[in-house]
Amino acid sequence: MPDAYYADPRLARLYDTIDGPRDDLDAYLRIADELGAGRVVDLGCGTGTLALLLAGTGRQVTGVDPARASLDIARAKVGAAGVTWIEGEAAAIPADADADLVTMTGNAAQAVLTDEDWTAMLRGVRSGLRPGGCFCFETRRPERRAWEEWASTKSDTTDVPGVGVVEESTELTMVELPLVSFRTTFHFLADGTTLTSETTLRFRDEDELTASLLVEGFDVRDVREAPDRPGREFVVLAVRR
Ligand SMILES: C[S@@+](CC[C@H](N)C(=O)[O-])C[C@H]1O[C@@H](n2cnc3c(N)ncnc32)[C@H](O)[C@@H]1O
């Protein structure tokens, strides 16, 4: 079950504005170019920003996400008819997708918590890739201990078009590595509504990532930096054997 931030229609409307300019996505467009990827599946596509950028470059794109409210926002965007949108997790990637590339951005991979779900995710991705196709995903480096910054995050105020001013605050609720949980509270000034979203993320180190990929039929081609967040993220490129 995705977090309310993605699955509640009122909160999903905030994502694109609160998440801000998507400087992180250029790197994924460059990777699609580098791989010559014509068919791309964006897993955990959320509100569809990357899927639409990829489709805008003439690629055949499928966006997959379990959060219907986020997909509804994606489907309403300019160019959305050029993307196939599917509600679900990796198992919903069509077996005949024959994709050159499956992307998973925005640290969506960290929302996969258990070993069983991680294995199921890798199997779904693998079945959607052509042999030699690439799974490219990002995940925060556990050694950077990002949650220590979240613990000290003060509240933020954002003016969201069509919604009004929203105050957002984050409270760290659990650190039991490899799991970290936090609660985000959104206060809508226009009508006084307060909504919360509970998040748990799993932090996997490079050895764990590599071992799990090898077992599930991938070879790790590269582990890179996210250029906009040096030292913070692994960007993994894993090729279907
Ligand atoms: C931080 S958002 C990132 C969205 C998008 N990739 C981006 O970069 O804007 C995380 C997304 O992962 C999705 N998600 C959560 N669990 C998932 C799972 N098991 N498989 C695929 N996507 C999942 C959520 O619904 C949400 O849309």
Side-chain angles (χ1 to χ4, degrees):
M1 186 56 192
D3 304 349
Y5 189 27
Y6 313 116
D8 180 305
R10 283 204 70 179
L11 294 179
R13 280 186 76 180
L14 310 180
Y15 179 80
D16 284 336
T17 305
I18 288 182
D19 216 40
R22 296 304 301 269
D23 305 334
D24 57 318
L25 299 180
D26 280 351
Y28 291 94
L29 291 171
R30 284 199 298 275
I31 286 168
D33 283 343
E34 173 188 328
L35 299 174
R39 273 189 303 277
V40 184
V41 174
D42 187 28
L43 177 61
C45 66
T47 56
T49 306
L50 177 61
L52 288 164
L53 287 171
L54 288 162
T57 58
R59 296 179 163 91
Q60 184 184 314
V61 181
T62 301
V64 180
D65 199 286
R68 182 178 303 173
S70 293
L71 280 181
D72 285 345
I73 289 167
R75 286 188 176 109
K77 289 182 175 175
V78 174
V83 174
T84 302
W85 304 103
I86 297 176
E87 184 179 334
E89 299 183 351
I93 299 174
D96 62 356
D98 207 27
D100 303 306
L101 172 65
V102 174
T103 51
M104 201 174 194
T105 63
N107 292 301
Q110 290 191 252
V112 182
L113 301 183
T114 67
D115 291 340
E116 293 72 22
D117 287 348
W118 182 255
T119 297
M121 188 271 284
L122 293 181
R123 290 182 181 171
V125 168
R126 190 174 188 281
S127 75
L129 281 169
R130 67 166 170 79
C134 187
F135 179 34
C136 177
F137 65 95
E138 67 178 34
T139 183
R140 294 180 187 86
R141 291 170 179 264
E143 65 272 22
R144 281 302 296 250
R145 302 175 71 84
W147 57 89
E148 291 178 351
E149 293 167 23
W150 304 337
S152 60
T153 302
K154 301 278 183 290
S155 67
D156 230 343
T157 301
T158 311
D159 194 353
V160 181
V163 172
V165 176
V166 178
E167 286 174 356
E168 177 204 353
S169 58
T170 305
E171 179 195 351
L172 200 62
T173 52
M174 183 195 81
V175 180
E176 287 179 18
L177 296 178
L179 301 179
V180 174
S181 301
F182 56 93
R183 177 181 303 120
T184 312
T185 302
F186 301 88
H187 182 56
F188 294 72
L189 294 195
D191 64 3
T193 306
T194 297
L195 298 175
T196 59
S197 182
E198 306 282 346
T199 301
T200 299
L201 299 176
R202 177 153 171 178
F203 287 74
R204 294 177 174 86
D205 65 22
E206 192 170 347
D207 287 347
E208 182 178 5
L209 293 168
T210 302
S212 64
L213 285 158
L214 285 175
V215 166
E216 294 306 326
F218 293 88
D219 290 322
V220 176
R221 170 174 166 160
D222 206 357
V223 181
R224 302 183 179 175
E225 299 280 357
D228 59 313
R229 291 153 291 163
R232 291 174 174 268
E233 250 84 0
F234 299 118
V235 176
V236 180
L237 278 76
V239 174
R240 176 182 164 171
R241 245 178 258 134

